[in-house]
Each structure stands twice: as structure tokens, then as C-alpha cells.
Amino acid sequence: MIISFLSTSVITSPHPQAMMMPCSMVLEPIDGKLANAKGAALIYKVQLRPPSSARTNVSILSVHLPPPSAYGNYDAYEGFAFIPGVISWQFMLDPTREEESPTWAGRFDEITAEMENVKVQVRLFNSNTAKLGPAILGNDIKNCH
């Protein structure tokens, strides 16, 4: 009976999703017409300024996205991670120098919240108005591996 109790207390965690780091997930197109568009998100702990506590990093790489202007008055893509109804983190994705279909990538290192129920997206952005647009790619941390 003691062995049974100990094994369940080790396996059961009050924060199952928070214990999955490091993890990665594929960011899938929101619009099924974007057959070639994909992304990847990496989520892990980073220790940038000891002795302060570790932070969580979210890094995104996305490929084969249409030009942002194809969706209207947008000129960039942003990484967007959020816990619905609680908090969000937004960061620029920079394009590589490929003339056709650049790779868009970026990261954010300053997350202190527990990474539970987090959604990660690539969203359109207008850098002149700072207007965040709709999601193009996305996934949920529950799909992190």
C-alpha cells in the first residue's frame, strides 16, 4: 500500500503542463488553404541573470507564410503566447533575407508565469499602428512534446 501511494504521488502533479519543459510543438495553419505554412515553437527555462530565478523562453520559427500584406494592412508577423483571460506575451518575428517566402523567427525570454493552458500563435502585425491582427498559425501547450 505504501509503494502504491508513493508511486501515485510521484506520477501525479498539480501542474501537469508546467512540468513538460523543455518541449516543442508544431504550429499549424488556422486556415486550411495554407497547406505549406508551418511553424515550430520551443518552450524551455532559461537562466539569464543569476542569481535571479529562471524565466521561460518561447521561441518561434515559421516558414512558407504569405506576405503579411496579402491579408490587408499588415507588414510583419508577431509571436503571440497567452493564457486565455490571464496574460499574454507578444514579440516581433524577424524575416530572413530570402527574397521569396522568408523564414520568420523570434523569441521572448521573460516569462515568469506557470506555463499552463498556454496557446502559441503567429499573428499578423502592422508595425506603424502597432495593431495585432488575426492568427495565421497556432497550437496549444497540451500538444507540446
Side-chain angles (χ1 to χ4, degrees), residues 45-94:
K45 291 287 187 185
V46 291
Q47 182 68 45
L48 301 173
R49 292 175 292 282
S52 69
S53 61
R55 308 281 197 227
T56 299
N57 166 282
V58 175
S59 297
I60 294 176
L61 176 130
S62 53
V63 296
H64 299 292
L65 298 176
S69 60
Y71 291 96
N73 195 21
Y74 299 102
D75 60 352
Y77 286 104
E78 290 252 314
F80 190 72
F82 64 104
I83 301 171
V86 178
I87 193 169
S88 64
W89 305 276
Q90 181 177 335
F91 52 98
M92 290 295 297
L93 299 181
D94 295 311

CSV table of all heavy atoms in Angstrom, one decimal, residues 45-94:
chain,number,residue,atom,x,y,z
A,45,LYS,N,13.1,26.6,-19.9
A,45,LYS,CA,13.6,27.5,-18.9
A,45,LYS,C,14.9,28.0,-19.3
A,45,LYS,O,15.8,27.3,-19.8
A,45,LYS,CB,13.7,26.8,-17.5
A,45,LYS,CG,12.3,26.4,-16.9
A,45,LYS,CD,11.7,27.7,-16.4
A,45,LYS,CE,10.4,27.3,-15.6
A,45,LYS,NZ,9.7,28.5,-15.2
A,46,VAL,N,15.2,29.3,-19.0
A,46,VAL,CA,16.5,29.9,-19.3
A,46,VAL,C,16.9,30.7,-18.0
A,46,VAL,O,16.1,31.3,-17.3
A,46,VAL,CB,16.5,30.9,-20.5
A,46,VAL,CG1,16.3,30.2,-21.8
A,46,VAL,CG2,15.4,32.0,-20.3
A,47,GLN,N,18.2,30.6,-17.7
A,47,GLN,CA,18.8,31.3,-16.5
A,47,GLN,C,19.7,32.4,-17.1
A,47,GLN,O,20.8,32.2,-17.5
A,47,GLN,CB,19.6,30.4,-15.7
A,47,GLN,CG,20.2,31.0,-14.4
A,47,GLN,CD,19.1,31.4,-13.4
A,47,GLN,OE1,18.2,30.6,-13.1
A,47,GLN,NE2,19.2,32.6,-12.9
A,48,LEU,N,19.1,33.6,-17.2
A,48,LEU,CA,19.8,34.7,-17.9
A,48,LEU,C,20.6,35.6,-17.0
A,48,LEU,O,21.6,36.2,-17.3
A,48,LEU,CB,18.8,35.6,-18.7
A,48,LEU,CG,18.1,34.8,-19.8
A,48,LEU,CD1,17.0,35.7,-20.4
A,48,LEU,CD2,19.0,34.3,-20.8
A,49,ARG,N,20.1,35.9,-15.8
A,49,ARG,CA,20.7,36.8,-14.8
A,49,ARG,C,20.8,36.2,-13.4
A,49,ARG,O,20.1,36.6,-12.5
A,49,ARG,CB,19.9,38.1,-14.8
A,49,ARG,CG,20.0,38.9,-16.1
A,49,ARG,CD,19.1,40.1,-16.0
A,49,ARG,NE,17.6,39.8,-16.0
A,49,ARG,CZ,16.9,39.4,-17.1
A,49,ARG,NH1,17.5,39.3,-18.3
A,49,ARG,NH2,15.7,39.1,-17.0
A,50,PRO,N,21.7,35.2,-13.2
A,50,PRO,CA,21.8,34.7,-11.9
A,50,PRO,C,22.2,35.8,-10.9
A,50,PRO,O,22.9,36.7,-11.3
A,50,PRO,CB,23.0,33.7,-12.0
A,50,PRO,CG,23.1,33.4,-13.5
A,50,PRO,CD,22.6,34.6,-14.2
A,51,PRO,N,21.7,35.9,-9.7
A,51,PRO,CA,21.0,34.8,-9.0
A,51,PRO,C,19.5,34.9,-9.1
A,51,PRO,O,18.8,34.3,-8.4
A,51,PRO,CB,21.4,35.1,-7.6
A,51,PRO,CG,21.6,36.5,-7.5
A,51,PRO,CD,22.1,37.0,-8.8
A,52,SER,N,19.0,35.7,-10.1
A,52,SER,CA,17.5,35.8,-10.2
A,52,SER,C,17.0,34.4,-10.6
A,52,SER,O,17.7,33.6,-11.2
A,52,SER,CB,17.1,36.9,-11.2
A,52,SER,OG,17.5,36.5,-12.5
A,53,SER,N,15.7,34.3,-10.4
A,53,SER,CA,15.1,33.0,-10.8
A,53,SER,C,15.0,32.8,-12.3
A,53,SER,O,15.1,33.8,-13.1
A,53,SER,CB,13.7,32.9,-10.2
A,53,SER,OG,12.9,33.9,-10.7
A,54,ALA,N,15.0,31.5,-12.7
A,54,ALA,CA,14.9,31.2,-14.2
A,54,ALA,C,13.6,31.8,-14.7
A,54,ALA,O,12.6,31.9,-14.1
A,54,ALA,CB,15.0,29.7,-14.4
A,55,ARG,N,13.6,32.1,-16.0
A,55,ARG,CA,12.5,32.5,-16.8
A,55,ARG,C,12.1,31.5,-17.8
A,55,ARG,O,12.9,30.6,-18.0
A,55,ARG,CB,12.8,33.9,-17.5
A,55,ARG,CG,13.4,34.9,-16.6
A,55,ARG,CD,12.3,35.6,-15.9
A,55,ARG,NE,12.8,36.9,-15.4
A,55,ARG,CZ,12.6,37.3,-14.1
A,55,ARG,NH1,12.0,36.6,-13.3
A,55,ARG,NH2,13.1,38.5,-13.8
A,56,THR,N,11.0,31.7,-18.4
A,56,THR,CA,10.6,30.7,-19.5
A,56,THR,C,10.8,31.5,-20.8
A,56,THR,O,10.4,32.6,-21.0
A,56,THR,CB,9.1,30.3,-19.4
A,56,THR,OG1,9.0,29.6,-18.1
A,56,THR,CG2,8.7,29.4,-20.5
A,57,ASN,N,11.4,30.8,-21.8
A,57,ASN,CA,11.6,31.2,-23.1
A,57,ASN,C,10.6,30.6,-24.1
A,57,ASN,O,10.3,29.4,-24.0
A,57,ASN,CB,13.0,30.9,-23.6
A,57,ASN,CG,13.2,31.1,-25.1
A,57,ASN,OD1,12.8,30.2,-25.9
A,57,ASN,ND2,13.8,32.1,-25.5
A,58,VAL,N,10.0,31.4,-25.0
A,58,VAL,CA,9.2,30.9,-26.1
A,58,VAL,C,9.9,31.4,-27.3
A,58,VAL,O,10.1,32.6,-27.5
A,58,VAL,CB,7.8,31.4,-26.0
A,58,VAL,CG1,7.0,31.0,-27.3
A,58,VAL,CG2,7.0,31.0,-24.8
A,59,SER,N,10.3,30.4,-28.2
A,59,SER,CA,10.9,30.7,-29.5
A,59,SER,C,10.1,30.2,-30.6
A,59,SER,O,9.5,29.1,-30.4
A,59,SER,CB,12.3,30.1,-29.6
A,59,SER,OG,13.2,30.6,-28.6
A,60,ILE,N,9.9,31.0,-31.6
A,60,ILE,CA,9.1,30.6,-32.8
A,60,ILE,C,9.9,30.7,-34.1
A,60,ILE,O,10.6,31.7,-34.3
A,60,ILE,CB,7.8,31.5,-32.8
A,60,ILE,CG1,6.9,31.2,-31.6
A,60,ILE,CG2,7.0,31.2,-34.1
A,60,ILE,CD1,5.7,32.1,-31.6
A,61,LEU,N,9.7,29.7,-34.9
A,61,LEU,CA,10.2,29.7,-36.3
A,61,LEU,C,9.0,29.4,-37.2
A,61,LEU,O,8.3,28.4,-36.9
A,61,LEU,CB,11.3,28.7,-36.4
A,61,LEU,CG,11.9,28.6,-37.8
A,61,LEU,CD1,13.4,28.7,-37.8
A,61,LEU,CD2,11.5,27.3,-38.4
A,62,SER,N,8.8,30.1,-38.2
A,62,SER,CA,7.7,29.8,-39.1
A,62,SER,C,8.2,30.0,-40.6
A,62,SER,O,9.0,30.9,-40.9
A,62,SER,CB,6.5,30.7,-38.8
A,62,SER,OG,6.8,32.1,-38.8
A,63,VAL,N,7.6,29.1,-41.4
A,63,VAL,CA,8.1,29.1,-42.8
A,63,VAL,C,6.9,29.0,-43.8
A,63,VAL,O,5.8,28.6,-43.4
A,63,VAL,CB,9.0,27.9,-43.1
A,63,VAL,CG1,10.3,28.0,-42.3
A,63,VAL,CG2,8.3,26.6,-42.8
A,64,HIS,N,7.1,29.5,-45.0
A,64,HIS,CA,6.1,29.4,-46.1
A,64,HIS,C,4.8,30.2,-45.8
A,64,HIS,O,3.8,29.8,-46.1
A,64,HIS,CB,5.8,28.0,-46.5
A,64,HIS,CG,7.0,27.3,-47.1
A,64,HIS,ND1,7.7,27.7,-48.2
A,64,HIS,CD2,7.8,26.3,-46.6
A,64,HIS,CE1,8.7,26.9,-48.4
A,64,HIS,NE2,8.8,26.1,-47.4
A,65,LEU,N,5.0,31.3,-45.1
A,65,LEU,CA,3.9,32.2,-44.8
A,65,LEU,C,3.7,33.2,-46.0
A,65,LEU,O,4.7,33.6,-46.6
A,65,LEU,CB,4.1,33.0,-43.6
A,65,LEU,CG,4.3,32.3,-42.3
A,65,LEU,CD1,4.6,33.3,-41.1
A,65,LEU,CD2,3.0,31.5,-42.0
A,66,PRO,N,2.5,33.5,-46.3
A,66,PRO,CA,2.3,34.5,-47.4
A,66,PRO,C,2.8,35.9,-46.9
A,66,PRO,O,2.9,36.1,-45.7
A,66,PRO,CB,0.8,34.6,-47.6
A,66,PRO,CG,0.2,33.7,-46.6
A,66,PRO,CD,1.3,33.0,-45.8
A,67,PRO,N,3.1,36.8,-47.8
A,67,PRO,CA,3.5,38.1,-47.3
A,67,PRO,C,2.4,38.7,-46.4
A,67,PRO,O,1.2,38.5,-46.7
A,67,PRO,CB,3.6,39.0,-48.6
A,67,PRO,CG,3.7,38.0,-49.7
A,67,PRO,CD,3.0,36.7,-49.2
A,68,PRO,N,2.7,39.4,-45.4
A,68,PRO,CA,1.7,39.9,-44.5
A,68,PRO,C,0.7,40.8,-45.2
A,68,PRO,O,-0.5,40.8,-44.9
A,68,PRO,CB,2.5,40.7,-43.4
A,68,PRO,CG,3.8,40.1,-43.4
A,68,PRO,CD,4.1,39.6,-44.9
A,69,SER,N,1.1,41.5,-46.2
A,69,SER,CA,0.2,42.4,-46.9
A,69,SER,C,-0.8,41.7,-47.7
A,69,SER,O,-1.8,42.3,-48.1
A,69,SER,CB,1.1,43.3,-47.9
A,69,SER,OG,1.8,42.5,-48.8
A,70,ALA,N,-0.7,40.4,-47.9
A,70,ALA,CA,-1.7,39.6,-48.6
A,70,ALA,C,-3.0,39.6,-47.7
A,70,ALA,O,-4.1,39.3,-48.3
A,70,ALA,CB,-1.2,38.2,-48.8
A,71,TYR,N,-2.9,39.9,-46.5
A,71,TYR,CA,-4.1,39.9,-45.6
A,71,TYR,C,-4.6,41.3,-45.3
A,71,TYR,O,-5.4,41.5,-44.4
A,71,TYR,CB,-3.8,39.2,-44.3
A,71,TYR,CG,-3.5,37.8,-44.4
A,71,TYR,CD1,-2.3,37.2,-44.6
A,71,TYR,CD2,-4.6,36.9,-44.4
A,71,TYR,CE1,-2.1,35.9,-44.7
A,71,TYR,CE2,-4.4,35.5,-44.6
A,71,TYR,CZ,-3.1,35.0,-44.7
A,71,TYR,OH,-2.9,33.7,-44.9
A,72,GLY,N,-4.1,42.3,-46.0
A,72,GLY,CA,-4.6,43.7,-45.8
A,72,GLY,C,-3.4,44.6,-45.3
A,72,GLY,O,-2.3,44.4,-45.7
A,73,ASN,N,-3.7,45.5,-44.4
A,73,ASN,CA,-2.8,46.5,-43.9
A,73,ASN,C,-1.9,45.9,-42.8
A,73,ASN,O,-1.9,46.4,-41.7
A,73,ASN,CB,-3.6,47.7,-43.4
A,73,ASN,CG,-2.7,48.9,-43.3
A,73,ASN,OD1,-1.7,49.0,-43.9
A,73,ASN,ND2,-3.2,49.9,-42.5
A,74,TYR,N,-1.1,44.9,-43.2
A,74,TYR,CA,-0.1,44.3,-42.3
A,74,TYR,C,1.2,44.3,-43.0
A,74,TYR,O,1.3,44.1,-44.2
A,74,TYR,CB,-0.5,42.9,-41.9
A,74,TYR,CG,-1.9,42.9,-41.1
A,74,TYR,CD1,-3.0,42.5,-41.8
A,74,TYR,CD2,-1.9,43.3,-39.8
A,74,TYR,CE1,-4.2,42.5,-41.1
A,74,TYR,CE2,-3.1,43.3,-39.1
A,74,TYR,CZ,-4.3,42.9,-39.8
A,74,TYR,OH,-5.5,42.9,-39.1
A,75,ASP,N,2.3,44.4,-42.2
A,75,ASP,CA,3.7,44.4,-42.8
A,75,ASP,C,4.6,43.5,-42.0
A,75,ASP,O,5.8,43.4,-42.3
A,75,ASP,CB,4.2,45.8,-42.8
A,75,ASP,CG,4.4,46.5,-41.5
A,75,ASP,OD1,3.9,45.9,-40.5
A,75,ASP,OD2,5.0,47.6,-41.4
A,76,ALA,N,4.1,42.7,-41.0
A,76,ALA,CA,5.0,41.9,-40.3
A,76,ALA,C,4.2,40.8,-39.6
A,76,ALA,O,3.0,40.7,-39.7
A,76,ALA,CB,5.7,42.7,-39.2
A,77,TYR,N,5.0,39.9,-39.0
A,77,TYR,CA,4.4,38.8,-38.2
A,77,TYR,C,4.9,39.0,-36.7
A,77,TYR,O,6.0,39.4,-36.5
A,77,TYR,CB,4.7,37.4,-38.7
A,77,TYR,CG,3.9,37.0,-39.9
A,77,TYR,CD1,4.6,37.1,-41.2
A,77,TYR,CD2,2.6,36.6,-39.9
A,77,TYR,CE1,3.9,36.7,-42.3
A,77,TYR,CE2,1.9,36.3,-41.0
A,77,TYR,CZ,2.5,36.3,-42.2
A,77,TYR,OH,1.9,36.0,-43.4
A,78,GLU,N,4.1,38.6,-35.8
A,78,GLU,CA,4.4,38.6,-34.4
A,78,GLU,C,4.2,37.2,-33.8
A,78,GLU,O,3.3,36.5,-34.2
A,78,GLU,CB,3.6,39.6,-33.6
A,78,GLU,CG,3.8,41.0,-33.9
A,78,GLU,CD,4.5,41.8,-32.8
A,78,GLU,OE1,4.1,41.7,-31.6
A,78,GLU,OE2,5.5,42.5,-33.1
A,79,GLY,N,5.1,36.9,-32.8
A,79,GLY,CA,4.8,35.7,-32.0
A,79,GLY,C,3.9,36.2,-30.9
A,79,GLY,O,4.0,37.3,-30.3
A,80,PHE,N,2.9,35.3,-30.5
A,80,PHE,CA,1.9,35.7,-29.5
A,80,PHE,C,1.7,34.4,-28.7
A,80,PHE,O,1.3,33.4,-29.2
A,80,PHE,CB,0.7,36.1,-30.2
A,80,PHE,CG,-0.4,36.7,-29.2
A,80,PHE,CD1,-0.1,38.0,-28.7
A,80,PHE,CD2,-1.5,36.1,-29.0
A,80,PHE,CE1,-1.1,38.6,-27.8
A,80,PHE,CE2,-2.5,36.6,-28.1
A,80,PHE,CZ,-2.3,37.9,-27.5
A,81,ALA,N,2.0,34.5,-27.4
A,81,ALA,CA,1.7,33.4,-26.5
A,81,ALA,C,0.8,33.9,-25.4
A,81,ALA,O,1.0,35.1,-25.0
A,81,ALA,CB,3.0,32.9,-25.9
A,82,PHE,N,-0.2,33.1,-24.9
A,82,PHE,CA,-1.1,33.7,-24.0
A,82,PHE,C,-1.8,32.5,-23.2
A,82,PHE,O,-1.9,31.4,-23.6
A,82,PHE,CB,-2.1,34.5,-24.6
A,82,PHE,CG,-3.1,33.8,-25.6
A,82,PHE,CD1,-4.4,33.5,-25.2
A,82,PHE,CD2,-2.6,33.5,-26.9
A,82,PHE,CE1,-5.2,32.9,-26.2
A,82,PHE,CE2,-3.5,32.9,-27.8
A,82,PHE,CZ,-4.8,32.6,-27.4
A,83,ILE,N,-2.2,32.9,-22.0
A,83,ILE,CA,-3.1,32.1,-21.1
A,83,ILE,C,-4.4,32.8,-21.2
A,83,ILE,O,-4.5,34.0,-20.7
A,83,ILE,CB,-2.5,32.0,-19.7
A,83,ILE,CG1,-1.1,31.4,-19.6
A,83,ILE,CG2,-3.5,31.2,-18.8
A,83,ILE,CD1,-0.5,31.5,-18.3
A,84,PRO,N,-5.4,32.2,-21.9
A,84,PRO,CA,-6.7,32.9,-22.1
A,84,PRO,C,-7.2,33.5,-20.8
A,84,PRO,O,-7.3,32.9,-19.8
A,84,PRO,CB,-7.6,31.8,-22.7
A,84,PRO,CG,-6.6,30.9,-23.3
A,84,PRO,CD,-5.4,30.9,-22.4
A,85,GLY,N,-7.6,34.8,-20.9
A,85,GLY,CA,-8.2,35.5,-19.8
A,85,GLY,C,-7.2,35.9,-18.7
A,85,GLY,O,-7.7,36.5,-17.7
A,86,VAL,N,-5.9,35.6,-18.9
A,86,VAL,CA,-5.0,35.9,-17.8
A,86,VAL,C,-3.9,36.8,-18.2
A,86,VAL,O,-3.7,37.9,-17.6
A,86,VAL,CB,-4.4,34.6,-17.2
A,86,VAL,CG1,-3.4,34.8,-16.1
A,86,VAL,CG2,-5.5,33.6,-16.7
A,87,ILE,N,-3.1,36.4,-19.2
A,87,ILE,CA,-1.9,37.2,-19.6
A,87,ILE,C,-1.5,36.8,-21.0
A,87,ILE,O,-1.8,35.7,-21.5
A,87,ILE,CB,-0.7,37.0,-18.6
A,87,ILE,CG1,0.4,38.0,-18.8
A,87,ILE,CG2,-0.2,35.5,-18.7
A,87,ILE,CD1,1.5,38.0,-17.7
A,88,SER,N,-0.8,37.7,-21.7
A,88,SER,CA,-0.2,37.4,-23.0
A,88,SER,C,1.1,38.0,-23.1
A,88,SER,O,1.5,39.0,-22.4
A,88,SER,CB,-1.2,38.0,-24.1
A,88,SER,OG,-1.2,39.4,-24.0
A,89,TRP,N,1.9,37.5,-24.1
A,89,TRP,CA,3.2,37.9,-24.4
A,89,TRP,C,3.3,38.1,-25.9
A,89,TRP,O,3.0,37.1,-26.6
A,89,TRP,CB,4.3,37.0,-23.9
A,89,TRP,CG,4.2,36.7,-22.4
A,89,TRP,CD1,4.7,37.4,-21.4
A,89,TRP,CD2,3.5,35.6,-21.8
A,89,TRP,NE1,4.4,36.8,-20.2
A,89,TRP,CE2,3.6,35.7,-20.5
A,89,TRP,CE3,2.8,34.5,-22.3
A,89,TRP,CZ2,3.1,34.8,-19.6
A,89,TRP,CZ3,2.2,33.6,-21.5
A,89,TRP,CH2,2.4,33.7,-20.1
A,90,GLN,N,3.8,39.2,-26.4
A,90,GLN,CA,3.8,39.5,-27.8
A,90,GLN,C,5.3,39.9,-28.2
A,90,GLN,O,5.9,40.7,-27.5
A,90,GLN,CB,2.9,40.6,-28.1
A,90,GLN,CG,2.7,41.1,-29.5
A,90,GLN,CD,1.7,42.2,-29.6
A,90,GLN,OE1,0.8,42.3,-28.8
A,90,GLN,NE2,1.9,43.0,-30.7
A,91,PHE,N,5.8,39.3,-29.3
A,91,PHE,CA,7.2,39.7,-29.7
A,91,PHE,C,7.3,39.6,-31.2
A,91,PHE,O,6.6,38.8,-31.9
A,91,PHE,CB,8.2,38.7,-29.0
A,91,PHE,CG,7.9,37.3,-29.1
A,91,PHE,CD1,8.5,36.5,-30.1
A,91,PHE,CD2,7.0,36.7,-28.3
A,91,PHE,CE1,8.3,35.2,-30.2
A,91,PHE,CE2,6.7,35.3,-28.4
A,91,PHE,CZ,7.3,34.5,-29.4
A,92,MET,N,8.2,40.4,-31.7
A,92,MET,CA,8.4,40.5,-33.1
A,92,MET,C,9.0,39.2,-33.7
A,92,MET,O,9.9,38.6,-33.0
A,92,MET,CB,9.4,41.7,-33.5
A,92,MET,CG,8.8,43.1,-33.3
A,92,MET,SD,7.4,43.4,-34.4
A,92,MET,CE,8.2,43.3,-36.0
A,93,LEU,N,8.6,38.8,-34.9
A,93,LEU,CA,9.3,37.8,-35.6
A,93,LEU,C,10.0,38.5,-36.8
A,93,LEU,O,9.4,39.3,-37.5
A,93,LEU,CB,8.3,36.8,-36.2
A,93,LEU,CG,7.4,36.0,-35.1
A,93,LEU,CD1,6.5,35.0,-35.8
A,93,LEU,CD2,8.3,35.3,-34.1
A,94,ASP,N,11.3,38.3,-36.9
A,94,ASP,CA,12.1,38.9,-37.9
A,94,ASP,C,12.2,38.0,-39.1
A,94,ASP,O,12.4,36.8,-39.0
A,94,ASP,CB,13.5,39.2,-37.4
A,94,ASP,CG,13.4,40.2,-36.3
A,94,ASP,OD1,12.8,41.3,-36.5
A,94,ASP,OD2,14.0,40.0,-35.2
